[in-house]
Amino acid sequence: MTKIEIKRAIVSVHDKSCLSLLADYFIKYKIEVLSTGGTARFLKNYSTKLKIIEISEFTNFREILDGRVKSLHPKIHSGILAKKKDKNHIKELKKIKIPYIDLVVVNLYPFEKVVNDQKSSKQKCIENIDIGGPTLIRGAAKNYDNVTVLTDPKQYNSFLEIVYKNHNQIPKSFRELCAIVAFEKTSYYDGVISNWFNKDNPNFCNEKISLTFNKISQLRYGENPHQKAALFNLKENPLIKISGKDLSFNNIYDLEVAMELAQQFQESSCVILKHGNPCGVALDRKQHIAFDKALNCDKISAFGGIVAFNKKLTSQAAKKIKNLFIEVVIAPDFSLESKNILSTKKNLILIQYNATNSQTSLHLKTTRNFLLLQNKDNKVINKKDLIIKTKIVPSDKEKKDMIFSFIISKYLNSNAIVLAQNQATVGIGVGQMNRLEAAKQAIKQMKSNFKKYNPVLASDGFFPFSDIVKLCSRNNIKGIIQPGGSKNDKEVIDVANENKISLVLTGIRHFKH
């Protein structure tokens, strides 16, 4: 059946902001409208020309259980599910005097909005689980050969454009698109409910899980131009674009990592990041000095990178950034002067990051055939976590540098090595197949950028051999922090003692692949 004429509709909506658009259509084509509650009252008040029939009058069955049972009736669902070209269906409906329903307009109880309100009681959340609405939607979507289903006010204008153009008939192609949206809607809705019930599950997740995402936008491409892509959010979007060109997914990935790392510190921080890995990180009471220190670690990699701050961007820092090619600057806020300085660069993207909306406890990773769902690695070490294993005890200043560098190692691809001095990175080794090569990479970078150095070294994983300790002894590295847990820990500790290098274990590893 290519086109379906609409004669009868069932309408049950909670968002009435666009309902007048449909009301005018109902009047024009003399559509019989089945409705109840607030929707029926709105339509009756809108115009006396509308033919409104209360659902209880249509079914000859009054609402019961405080309105929990309204549309759940054979007379309603028979009219929605019947095939208009099936002789048996036609005969059955005619015999029991049930008319066809051609249009279903439903939007659901605002369950997600209610559960996101911290003031909502558990009982209120449960009462906002819609039962009749999803049943109407699924029935109409299943029978899209014969029924049109609208589940979102954003569809109304498209629907009206098509229905007016086709003289109150709806082509099958549009009905099928509406069915796709309908099943997406009910799937998402049920997923939100499932996740709400599952949120306090001590087993982390049940045998089956539902992942719910809202589409933000279609992207020009994904990681590469030949990959089609769309952007969805896992939590409320924490990004506010102040100025500059559109963000790519690669920009978004980098700025989220950069901002998360910047927020790990209380003191004013600066993170410079490129291709998912920090290339310079520093802390300083003065923000523009923190930027200088971070930049000094690796000026070449900083070209075209992301710069993130954990405090409001100052004009002094903005003046320094203006002289460089930077893709994105991100901060929780921008001073008016800093905004004026940087917004003159048309291609520079300025992003304000609302940290309160950015936190999620979940981390997702995918392979070709599998999905890993795990708790996010939110572990942050402090002084009391440090287990000193050598005769040489690190000073308080060295301990601070150790903690600083170990935090950074969590945000680097494994194998990761971080060299730090005076709360600033001086060398970074990242993504190597063996830890010794990562250490060599970091040391080489340090030697090429700094004349004087006496740093500590952090590793995201334990040392299987003592070779890195020997390398440290030849390169003026005074302290090491690493998880420990290797069967060769004793040998590593002994070599550290021989070379008068302090060695601290954390018992925590931060592998990131």
Side-chain angles (χ1 to χ4, degrees):
M1 189 172 286
T2 307
K3 290 184 180 179
I4 294 291
E5 184 179 1
I6 295 175
K7 296 179 181 178
R8 187 173 293 102
I10 182 167
V11 182
S12 177
V13 300
H14 299 278
D15 182 354
K16 299 174 181 62
S17 59
C18 301
L19 195 51
S20 57
L21 294 172
L22 294 180
D24 291 334
Y25 156 70
F26 295 148
I27 294 168
K28 178 178 174 64
Y29 286 101
K30 299 179 181 177
I31 307 297
E32 183 179 282
V33 179
L34 310 177
S35 191
T36 188
T39 306
R41 286 193 296 274
F42 177 90
L43 292 171
K44 285 177 181 178
N45 292 333
Y46 184 79
S47 175
T48 56
K49 295 179 182 179
L50 281 162
K51 187 178 181 182
I52 308 298
I53 301 174
E54 291 274 355
I55 285 178
S56 57
E57 179 187 343
F58 179 78
T59 60
N60 198 27
F61 187 90
R62 67 180 180 84
E63 293 181 19
I64 62 172
L65 306 179
D66 299 320
R68 280 190 169 196
V69 179
K70 291 180 283 195
S71 59
L72 296 169
H73 194 280
K75 196 169 182 181
I76 297 291
H77 291 282
S78 298
I80 291 171
L81 287 164
K83 298 176 182 178
K84 294 180 179 178
K85 291 270 185 166
D86 188 299
K87 291 180 181 180
N88 290 330
H89 286 200
I90 295 168
K91 186 178 178 180
E92 280 187 90
L93 289 195
K94 194 171 184 180
K95 184 178 179 180
I96 55 179
K97 297 180 180 179
I98 293 179
Y100 293 106
I101 295 172
D102 314 296
L103 173 66
V104 173
V105 183
V106 175
N107 53 58
L108 304 171
Y109 291 172
F111 178 81
E112 187 172 25
K113 182 179 179 181
V114 171
V115 298
N116 286 335
D117 183 350
Q118 295 182 351
K119 296 179 182 178
S120 296
S121 66
K122 186 173 184 179
Q123 190 57 38
K124 183 177 181 181
C125 294
I126 289 171
E127 287 304 319
N128 274 275
I129 298 174
D130 203 325
I131 302 300
T135 308
L136 291 170
I137 290 171
R138 287 171 60 82
K142 174 180 178 176
N143 198 25
Y144 72 87
D145 266 345
N146 302 277
V147 183
T148 304
V149 57
L150 302 178
T151 54
D152 193 320
K154 293 174 184 176
Q155 296 173 300
Y156 296 172
N157 282 323
S158 299
F159 167 78
L160 293 171
E161 184 180 335
I162 287 171
V163 82
Y164 286 139
K165 182 180 178 181
N166 289 278
H167 308 291
N168 197 31
Q169 291 190 326
I170 299 294
K172 184 176 179 179
S173 57
F174 183 77
R175 298 197 304 272
E176 186 171 5
L177 284 174
C178 289
I180 292 169
V181 173
F183 282 121
E184 286 177 353
K185 188 78 68 175
T186 56
S187 173
Y188 179 85
Y189 192 78
D190 285 339
V192 172
I193 295 169
S194 172
N195 291 341
W196 178 72
F197 272 106
N198 197 41
K199 69 182 188 302
D200 296 322
N201 179 12
N203 297 320
F204 183 64
C205 57
N206 289 323
E207 291 298 314
K208 297 183 185 297
I209 61 167
S210 297
L211 301 176
T212 53
F213 304 93
N214 280 306
K215 185 175 179 179
I216 298 173
S217 63
Q218 195 74 26
L219 297 178
R220 286 186 295 124
Y221 57 83
E223 289 184 290
N224 295 291
H226 61 276
Q227 294 173 273
K228 292 181 180 178
L231 190 65
F232 292 77
N233 66 346
L234 181 60
K235 288 283 186 180
E236 185 179 344
N237 183 9
L239 308 180
I240 301 170
K241 192 174 84 167
I242 305 297
S243 64
K245 62 184 181 180
D246 290 340
L247 287 165
S248 68
F249 172 76
N250 293 343
N251 290 150
I252 292 168
Y253 178 82
D254 284 351
L255 67 85
E256 287 248 323
V257 175
M259 196 63 195
E260 187 177 329
L261 174 52
Q263 289 169 345
Q264 297 296 303
F265 307 105
Q266 294 298 316
E267 193 173 351
S268 181
S269 66
C270 175
V271 174
I272 304 175
L273 186 137
K274 186 77 169 288
H275 297 311
N277 286 295
C279 57
V281 184
L283 309 182
D284 197 277
R285 186 173 55 83
K286 294 181 179 179
Q287 189 181 68
H288 63 287
I289 301 298
F291 173 75
D292 283 339
K293 289 162 70 175
L295 182 65
N296 286 339
C297 181
D298 188 354
K299 291 181 179 180
I300 294 174
S301 296
F303 181 85
I306 305 284
V307 181
F309 299 93
N310 66 345
K311 309 288 184 187
K312 180 191 283 191
L313 187 66
T314 64
S315 59
Q316 296 99 314
K319 287 173 184 176
K320 289 180 174 290
I321 293 168
K322 187 180 180 182
N323 298 322
L324 302 171
F325 172 54
I326 298 294
E327 282 269 357
V328 182
V329 177
I330 180 167
D333 202 359
F334 291 79
S335 69
L336 181 61
E337 191 176 351
S338 72
K339 205 181 296 184
N340 291 337
I341 290 167
L342 295 179
S343 59
T344 58
K345 300 186 77 171
K346 291 182 180 180
N347 289 329
L348 175 61
I349 304 167
L350 303 184
I351 297 290
Q352 184 176 323
Y353 198 91
N354 186 350
T356 57
N357 293 329
S358 66
Q359 296 174 356
T360 175
S361 60
L362 294 180
H363 184 220
L364 282 63
K365 299 191 80 167
T366 62
T367 68
R368 181 175 179 179
N369 297 305
F370 298 96
L371 168 72
L372 170 70
L373 183 63
Q374 64 182 351
N375 287 327
K376 198 166 177 60
D377 183 3
N378 289 324
K379 178 68 177 176
V380 177
I381 63 163
N382 52 47
K383 280 186 180 180
K384 66 181 181 182
D385 297 313
L386 304 183
I387 304 165
I388 301 169
K389 286 290 185 178
T390 49
K391 296 173 184 176
I392 303 293
V393 176
S395 66
D396 285 345
K397 183 180 177 183
E398 289 165 355
K399 287 177 183 177
K400 283 181 67 177
D401 280 341
M402 285 177 171
I403 292 170
F404 169 78
S405 56
F406 194 71
I407 289 171
I408 295 166
S409 74
K410 182 169 70 171
Y411 293 87
L412 292 161
N413 288 324
S414 302
N415 288 311
I417 295 291
V418 180
L419 300 177
Q421 184 172 337
N422 298 326
Q423 300 288 274
T425 55
V426 293
I428 294 174
V430 57
Q432 299 303 305
M433 283 67 76
N434 71 72
R435 201 161 298 281
L436 184 61
E437 284 303 316
K440 289 177 180 177
Q441 182 188 61
I443 290 167
K444 180 181 178 183
Q445 184 187 76
M446 175 179 65
K447 287 183 171 181
S448 64
N449 292 322
F450 299 92
K451 291 181 179 179
K452 294 181 179 180
Y453 49 83
N454 192 208
V456 299
L457 178 149
S459 170
D460 64 340
F462 62 60
F463 291 175
F465 307 105
S466 59
D467 46 10
I468 294 183
V469 182
K470 294 172 184 175
L471 182 68
C472 289
S473 70
R474 298 193 297 270
N475 289 281
N476 209 27
I477 294 169
K478 58 188 175 182
I480 296 171
I481 182 170
Q482 52 118 331
S486 168
K487 64 180 181 180
N488 286 330
D489 274 355
K490 186 178 184 306
E491 178 195 335
V492 171
I493 294 164
D494 288 343
V495 172
N497 277 321
E498 289 171 14
N499 289 278
K500 296 182 171 50
I501 295 173
S502 63
L503 178 65
V504 170
L505 304 184
T506 64
I508 296 291
R509 77 175 193 191
H510 288 307
F511 283 174
K512 178 171 175 272
H513 297 290

Coordinates of all heavy atoms in Angstrom, one line a residue, residues 10-76:
I10 N -5.1 9.0 16.9 CA -5.1 9.0 18.4 C -3.9 9.8 18.8 O -2.8 9.7 18.3 CB -5.0 7.5 19.0 CG1 -5.0 7.6 20.5 CG2 -3.8 6.8 18.5 CD1 -5.2 6.2 21.1
V11 N -4.2 10.8 19.7 CA -3.2 11.8 20.1 C -3.1 11.8 21.6 O -4.1 12.0 22.4 CB -3.6 13.2 19.6 CG1 -2.5 14.2 20.0 CG2 -3.8 13.2 18.1
S12 N -1.8 11.5 22.1 CA -1.5 11.6 23.6 C -0.2 12.2 23.7 O 0.8 11.5 23.6 CB -1.6 10.2 24.2 OG -1.3 10.2 25.5
V13 N -0.1 13.5 24.0 CA 1.2 14.1 24.1 C 1.4 14.9 25.4 O 0.4 15.4 26.0 CB 1.5 15.1 22.9 CG1 1.4 14.3 21.6 CG2 0.4 16.2 22.9
H14 N 2.6 15.0 25.9 CA 2.9 15.8 27.1 C 3.5 17.1 26.7 O 3.4 18.1 27.5 CB 3.8 15.0 28.0 CG 3.2 13.7 28.5 ND1 2.3 13.6 29.5 CD2 3.3 12.4 28.0 CE1 1.9 12.4 29.6 NE2 2.5 11.6 28.7
D15 N 4.1 17.2 25.6 CA 4.7 18.4 25.0 C 3.6 19.0 24.1 O 3.5 18.5 22.9 CB 6.0 18.2 24.3 CG 6.6 19.5 23.8 OD1 6.0 20.5 23.9 OD2 7.8 19.4 23.3
K16 N 2.9 20.0 24.5 CA 1.8 20.6 23.7 C 2.3 21.8 23.0 O 1.4 22.5 22.4 CB 0.6 20.8 24.6 CG 0.1 19.6 25.3 CD -1.0 19.8 26.3 CE -1.5 18.5 26.9 NZ -0.4 17.9 27.7
S17 N 3.6 22.1 23.0 CA 4.0 23.4 22.4 C 3.7 23.5 20.9 O 3.5 24.6 20.4 CB 5.5 23.5 22.6 OG 6.2 22.5 22.1
C18 N 3.7 22.4 20.2 CA 3.5 22.4 18.7 C 2.2 21.8 18.3 O 1.9 21.5 17.2 CB 4.6 21.7 18.0 SG 6.3 22.4 18.3
L19 N 1.3 21.5 19.3 CA 0.1 20.7 19.0 C -0.9 21.5 18.2 O -1.7 20.9 17.4 CB -0.6 20.3 20.3 CG -1.6 19.2 20.3 CD1 -1.2 18.0 19.5 CD2 -2.1 18.8 21.7
S20 N -0.8 22.8 18.3 CA -1.7 23.7 17.5 C -1.5 23.5 16.0 O -2.4 23.6 15.2 CB -1.5 25.2 17.8 OG -0.2 25.6 17.6
L21 N -0.2 23.1 15.6 CA 0.1 22.9 14.2 C -0.8 21.7 13.7 O -1.4 21.8 12.6 CB 1.5 22.5 14.0 CG 2.6 23.7 14.2 CD1 4.0 23.1 14.2 CD2 2.4 24.8 13.2
L22 N -0.8 20.6 14.5 CA -1.6 19.5 14.1 C -3.1 19.8 14.2 O -3.9 19.3 13.4 CB -1.3 18.3 15.0 CG 0.2 17.7 14.8 CD1 0.4 16.6 15.8 CD2 0.4 17.3 13.4
A23 N -3.5 20.6 15.2 CA -4.9 20.9 15.3 C -5.5 21.6 14.1 O -6.6 21.2 13.6 CB -5.1 21.8 16.5
D24 N -4.7 22.5 13.5 CA -5.2 23.1 12.2 C -5.4 22.1 11.1 O -6.3 22.2 10.3 CB -4.2 24.2 11.8 CG -4.2 25.4 12.8 OD1 -5.2 25.6 13.4 OD2 -3.2 26.1 12.9
Y25 N -4.4 21.2 11.1 CA -4.5 20.1 10.1 C -5.8 19.2 10.3 O -6.5 18.9 9.4 CB -3.3 19.2 10.1 CG -3.5 17.8 9.5 CD1 -3.7 17.6 8.2 CD2 -3.5 16.7 10.4 CE1 -3.9 16.3 7.7 CE2 -3.6 15.5 9.9 CZ -3.9 15.3 8.6 OH -4.1 14.0 8.1
F26 N -6.0 18.9 11.6 CA -7.2 18.1 11.9 C -8.5 18.8 11.5 O -9.4 18.1 11.0 CB -7.3 17.8 13.4 CG -6.1 16.9 13.9 CD1 -5.7 17.1 15.2 CD2 -5.5 16.0 13.1 CE1 -4.6 16.3 15.7 CE2 -4.5 15.2 13.6 CZ -4.0 15.4 14.9
I27 N -8.5 20.1 11.7 CA -9.7 20.8 11.3 C -9.9 20.8 9.8 O -11.0 20.6 9.2 CB -9.6 22.3 11.8 CG1 -9.7 22.3 13.4 CG2 -10.7 23.2 11.2 CD1 -9.3 23.6 14.0
K28 N -8.8 21.1 9.1 CA -8.9 21.2 7.6 C -9.4 19.9 6.9 O -10.2 20.0 6.0 CB -7.5 21.5 7.0 CG -7.4 21.6 5.5 CD -6.0 22.0 5.1 CE -5.9 22.0 3.5 NZ -6.7 23.0 2.9
Y29 N -9.0 18.8 7.4 CA -9.3 17.5 6.8 C -10.4 16.7 7.6 O -10.6 15.5 7.3 CB -8.1 16.7 6.6 CG -7.3 17.2 5.4 CD1 -6.1 17.9 5.6 CD2 -7.6 16.9 4.1 CE1 -5.3 18.4 4.6 CE2 -6.9 17.4 3.0 CZ -5.7 18.1 3.3 OH -5.0 18.6 2.2
K30 N -11.0 17.4 8.6 CA -12.0 16.8 9.4 C -11.6 15.4 10.0 O -12.4 14.4 9.9 CB -13.3 16.7 8.6 CG -13.8 18.0 8.1 CD -15.1 17.8 7.2 CE -15.5 19.2 6.7 NZ -16.7 19.1 5.8
I31 N -10.5 15.4 10.6 CA -9.9 14.2 11.2 C -10.6 13.9 12.5 O -10.7 14.8 13.4 CB -8.4 14.3 11.4 CG1 -7.7 14.6 10.1 CG2 -7.9 12.9 12.0 CD1 -7.8 13.7 9.0
E32 N -11.1 12.7 12.8 CA -11.6 12.3 14.1 C -10.4 12.0 15.0 O -9.6 11.2 14.7 CB -12.5 11.1 13.9 CG -13.1 10.6 15.2 CD -14.0 9.4 15.0 OE1 -15.1 9.6 14.4 OE2 -13.6 8.3 15.3
V33 N -10.4 12.7 16.2 CA -9.3 12.6 17.1 C -9.7 11.9 18.4 O -10.6 12.4 19.1 CB -8.7 14.0 17.4 CG1 -7.5 13.9 18.3 CG2 -8.2 14.7 16.1
L34 N -9.0 10.8 18.7 CA -9.2 10.1 19.9 C -8.1 10.6 20.9 O -6.9 10.7 20.6 CB -9.0 8.6 19.8 CG -9.8 7.9 18.7 CD1 -9.5 6.5 18.6 CD2 -11.3 8.2 18.9
S35 N -8.6 11.0 22.1 CA -7.6 11.6 23.0 C -8.1 11.5 24.4 O -9.2 11.0 24.7 CB -7.3 13.0 22.7 OG -6.2 13.5 23.4
T36 N -7.3 11.9 25.4 CA -7.7 11.8 26.8 C -6.9 12.9 27.6 O -5.9 13.5 27.1 CB -7.4 10.4 27.3 OG1 -7.9 10.3 28.7 CG2 -5.9 10.1 27.4
G37 N -7.4 13.1 28.8 CA -6.7 14.0 29.7 C -6.4 15.4 29.2 O -7.2 16.0 28.6
G38 N -5.1 15.8 29.5 CA -4.7 17.2 29.1 C -4.7 17.4 27.6 O -5.0 18.6 27.2
T39 N -4.4 16.4 26.9 CA -4.4 16.6 25.4 C -5.8 16.9 24.9 O -6.0 17.8 24.1 CB -3.8 15.3 24.7 OG1 -2.5 15.0 25.3 CG2 -3.7 15.5 23.2
A40 N -6.7 16.1 25.4 CA -8.1 16.4 24.9 C -8.6 17.7 25.4 O -9.3 18.5 24.6 CB -9.0 15.3 25.5
R41 N -8.3 18.2 26.6 CA -8.7 19.5 27.0 C -8.0 20.6 26.2 O -8.7 21.6 25.8 CB -8.3 19.7 28.5 CG -9.1 18.9 29.5 CD -8.9 19.4 30.9 NE -7.6 19.1 31.4 CZ -7.2 17.9 31.9 NH1 -8.1 16.9 32.0 NH2 -5.9 17.7 32.3
F42 N -6.8 20.4 25.8 CA -6.1 21.4 25.0 C -6.8 21.6 23.7 O -7.0 22.7 23.2 CB -4.6 21.0 24.8 CG -3.9 21.9 23.9 CD1 -3.2 23.0 24.4 CD2 -3.8 21.7 22.5 CE1 -2.5 23.9 23.5 CE2 -3.1 22.6 21.7 CZ -2.4 23.7 22.2
L43 N -7.1 20.4 23.0 CA -7.7 20.5 21.7 C -9.1 21.0 21.7 O -9.5 21.7 20.8 CB -7.6 19.0 21.1 CG -6.3 18.5 20.7 CD1 -6.3 17.0 20.4 CD2 -5.6 19.3 19.6
K44 N -9.9 20.6 22.8 CA -11.2 21.2 22.9 C -11.2 22.7 23.1 O -12.1 23.4 22.5 CB -11.9 20.5 24.1 CG -12.4 19.1 23.8 CD -13.0 18.4 25.0 CE -13.4 17.0 24.7 NZ -14.0 16.3 25.9
N45 N -10.2 23.2 23.9 CA -10.1 24.6 24.1 C -9.6 25.3 22.8 O -9.9 26.5 22.7 CB -9.2 24.9 25.3 CG -9.8 24.5 26.6 OD1 -11.0 24.4 26.7 ND2 -9.0 24.1 27.6
Y46 N -8.8 24.6 22.0 CA -8.3 25.2 20.8 C -9.3 25.6 19.8 O -9.3 26.7 19.3 CB -7.2 24.3 20.2 CG -6.5 24.9 19.0 CD1 -5.4 25.8 19.2 CD2 -6.9 24.6 17.7 CE1 -4.8 26.4 18.2 CE2 -6.2 25.2 16.6 CZ -5.2 26.1 16.9 OH -4.5 26.7 15.8
S47 N -10.3 24.7 19.6 CA -11.3 25.0 18.6 C -12.5 24.1 18.8 O -12.3 22.9 19.0 CB -10.8 24.9 17.2 OG -11.8 25.0 16.2
T48 N -13.7 24.7 18.6 CA -14.9 23.8 18.7 C -15.1 23.1 17.4 O -16.0 22.2 17.3 CB -16.1 24.7 19.0 OG1 -16.2 25.8 18.0 CG2 -16.0 25.4 20.3
K49 N -14.3 23.4 16.4 CA -14.5 22.7 15.1 C -13.8 21.3 15.1 O -14.1 20.5 14.2 CB -13.8 23.6 14.0 CG -14.5 24.9 13.7 CD -13.8 25.7 12.6 CE -14.5 27.0 12.4 NZ -13.8 27.8 11.3
L50 N -13.0 21.1 16.1 CA -12.3 19.8 16.2 C -13.3 18.7 16.7 O -14.0 19.0 17.6 CB -11.1 19.9 17.2 CG -9.8 20.5 16.6 CD1 -8.9 21.0 17.7 CD2 -9.1 19.6 15.7
K51 N -13.2 17.6 16.1 CA -14.0 16.4 16.5 C -13.2 15.6 17.4 O -12.4 14.7 17.0 CB -14.4 15.6 15.3 CG -15.4 14.5 15.6 CD -15.9 13.8 14.4 CE -16.9 12.7 14.8 NZ -17.3 11.9 13.6
I52 N -13.3 15.8 18.7 CA -12.6 15.1 19.8 C -13.4 14.1 20.5 O -14.5 14.4 20.9 CB -12.0 16.1 20.8 CG1 -11.3 17.3 20.2 CG2 -11.2 15.4 21.8 CD1 -10.1 16.9 19.4
I53 N -12.9 12.9 20.5 CA -13.6 11.8 21.2 C -12.7 11.3 22.3 O -11.6 10.9 22.1 CB -14.0 10.6 20.3 CG1 -14.8 11.1 19.1 CG2 -14.7 9.5 21.0 CD1 -15.1 10.1 18.1
E54 N -13.3 11.4 23.6 CA -12.5 10.8 24.7 C -12.3 9.3 24.5 O -13.2 8.6 24.1 CB -13.2 11.1 26.0 CG -13.3 12.6 26.4 CD -12.1 13.0 27.2 OE1 -11.2 12.2 27.5 OE2 -12.0 14.2 27.5
I55 N -11.1 8.8 24.8 CA -10.8 7.4 24.6 C -11.8 6.5 25.4 O -12.2 5.5 24.9 CB -9.3 7.1 25.0 CG1 -8.4 7.7 23.9 CG2 -9.1 5.6 25.2 CD1 -6.9 7.5 24.2
S56 N -12.1 7.0 26.6 CA -13.0 6.1 27.5 C -14.4 6.1 26.8 O -15.1 5.0 26.9 CB -13.2 6.8 28.9 OG -13.6 8.1 28.8
E57 N -14.8 7.1 26.1 CA -16.1 7.1 25.4 C -16.0 6.2 24.2 O -16.9 5.4 23.8 CB -16.4 8.5 24.9 CG -17.7 8.7 24.1 CD -17.9 10.1 23.6 OE1 -17.2 11.0 24.0 OE2 -18.7 10.2 22.6
F58 N -14.8 6.2 23.5 CA -14.6 5.4 22.3 C -14.6 3.9 22.6 O -15.1 3.1 21.9 CB -13.3 5.8 21.6 CG -12.9 5.0 20.4 CD1 -13.5 5.3 19.2 CD2 -11.9 4.1 20.5 CE1 -13.2 4.6 18.0 CE2 -11.6 3.3 19.3 CZ -12.2 3.6 18.1
T59 N -13.9 3.6 23.7 CA -13.8 2.2 24.1 C -14.9 1.7 25.0 O -15.1 0.5 25.2 CB -12.5 1.9 24.9 OG1 -12.5 2.8 26.1 CG2 -11.3 2.3 24.1
N60 N -15.7 2.6 25.5 CA -16.8 2.3 26.4 C -16.2 1.6 27.7 O -16.8 0.7 28.3 CB -17.9 1.4 25.8 CG -19.2 1.5 26.6 OD1 -19.5 2.4 27.3 ND2 -19.9 0.4 26.5
F61 N -15.0 2.1 28.1 CA -14.3 1.6 29.3 C -13.7 2.8 29.9 O -12.7 3.4 29.4 CB -13.3 0.5 28.9 CG -12.7 -0.2 30.0 CD1 -13.3 -1.3 30.5 CD2 -11.5 0.3 30.6 CE1 -12.7 -2.0 31.6 CE2 -10.9 -0.4 31.7 CZ -11.5 -1.5 32.2
R62 N -14.1 3.1 31.1 CA -13.6 4.3 31.8 C -12.1 4.1 32.3 O -11.7 2.9 32.5 CB -14.5 4.7 33.0 CG -14.5 3.7 34.1 CD -15.4 4.1 35.3 NE -15.4 3.1 36.4 CZ -14.4 3.1 37.3 NH1 -13.4 4.0 37.3 NH2 -14.5 2.2 38.3
E63 N -11.4 5.2 32.4 CA -10.0 5.1 32.9 C -10.1 4.5 34.4 O -11.0 4.9 35.2 CB -9.4 6.5 33.0 CG -9.1 7.1 31.6 CD -8.5 8.5 31.8 OE1 -7.9 8.8 32.9 OE2 -8.5 9.3 30.8
I64 N -9.1 3.7 34.7 CA -9.1 3.1 36.0 C -7.6 3.2 36.6 O -6.7 3.5 35.8 CB -9.6 1.7 36.1 CG1 -8.7 0.8 35.2 CG2 -11.0 1.6 35.7 CD1 -9.0 -0.7 35.3
L65 N -7.5 2.9 37.8 CA -6.2 2.8 38.5 C -5.4 4.2 38.4 O -4.3 4.2 38.1 CB -5.3 1.7 38.0 CG -5.9 0.3 37.9 CD1 -4.9 -0.7 37.3 CD2 -6.3 -0.1 39.3
D66 N -6.2 5.2 38.7 CA -5.6 6.6 38.7 C -5.0 6.9 37.3 O -4.0 7.6 37.2 CB -4.5 6.8 39.8 CG -5.1 6.5 41.2 OD1 -6.2 7.0 41.4 OD2 -4.4 5.9 42.0
G67 N -5.6 6.5 36.3 CA -5.2 6.8 34.9 C -4.1 5.9 34.4 O -3.6 6.1 33.3
R68 N -3.7 4.9 35.2 CA -2.7 3.9 34.7 C -3.2 3.1 33.5 O -2.4 2.7 32.6 CB -2.2 3.0 35.8 CG -1.2 3.6 36.8 CD -0.7 2.5 37.7 NE 0.5 3.0 38.4 CZ 1.4 2.2 39.0 NH1 1.2 0.9 39.0 NH2 2.4 2.7 39.7
V69 N -4.5 2.9 33.4 CA -5.1 2.1 32.3 C -6.0 3.1 31.5 O -7.1 3.4 32.1 CB -5.8 0.9 32.8 CG1 -6.4 0.1 31.6 CG2 -4.8 0.0 33.5
K70 N -5.6 3.5 30.4 CA -6.4 4.4 29.5 C -6.5 3.8 28.1 O -7.6 3.4 27.6 CB -5.8 5.8 29.5 CG -5.9 6.5 30.8 CD -5.3 7.9 30.7 CE -3.8 7.8 30.8 NZ -3.1 9.1 31.1
S71 N -5.4 3.8 27.4 CA -5.3 3.4 26.0 C -5.1 1.9 25.8 O -5.1 1.4 24.7 CB -4.3 4.2 25.3 OG -3.0 3.9 25.9
L72 N -4.9 1.1 26.9 CA -4.6 -0.3 26.8 C -5.9 -1.1 26.6 O -6.4 -1.6 27.6 CB -3.8 -0.8 28.0 CG -2.4 -0.2 28.2 CD1 -1.9 -0.5 29.6 CD2 -1.5 -0.7 27.2
H73 N -6.4 -1.0 25.4 CA -7.7 -1.6 25.1 C -7.7 -2.2 23.7 O -7.2 -1.7 22.8 CB -8.8 -0.5 25.2 CG -10.2 -1.1 25.3 ND1 -10.9 -1.5 24.2 CD2 -11.0 -1.3 26.4 CE1 -12.1 -1.9 24.5 NE2 -12.2 -1.8 25.9
P74 N -8.4 -3.4 23.6 CA -8.4 -4.1 22.2 C -9.0 -3.2 21.1 O -8.6 -3.3 20.0 CB -9.3 -5.3 22.5 CG -9.2 -5.6 23.9 CD -9.0 -4.2 24.6
K75 N -9.9 -2.3 21.5 CA -10.6 -1.5 20.4 C -9.6 -0.5 19.9 O -9.6 -0.2 18.7 CB -11.8 -0.8 21.0 CG -12.7 -0.2 19.9 CD -14.0 0.3 20.5 CE -14.9 0.8 19.4 NZ -16.2 1.3 19.9
I76 N -8.6 0.0 20.7 CA -7.6 0.9 20.3 C -6.5 0.1 19.5 O -6.2 0.5 18.3 CB -6.9 1.6 21.5 CG1 -7.9 2.4 22.3 CG2 -5.7 2.4 21.0 CD1 -8.4 3.7 21.6

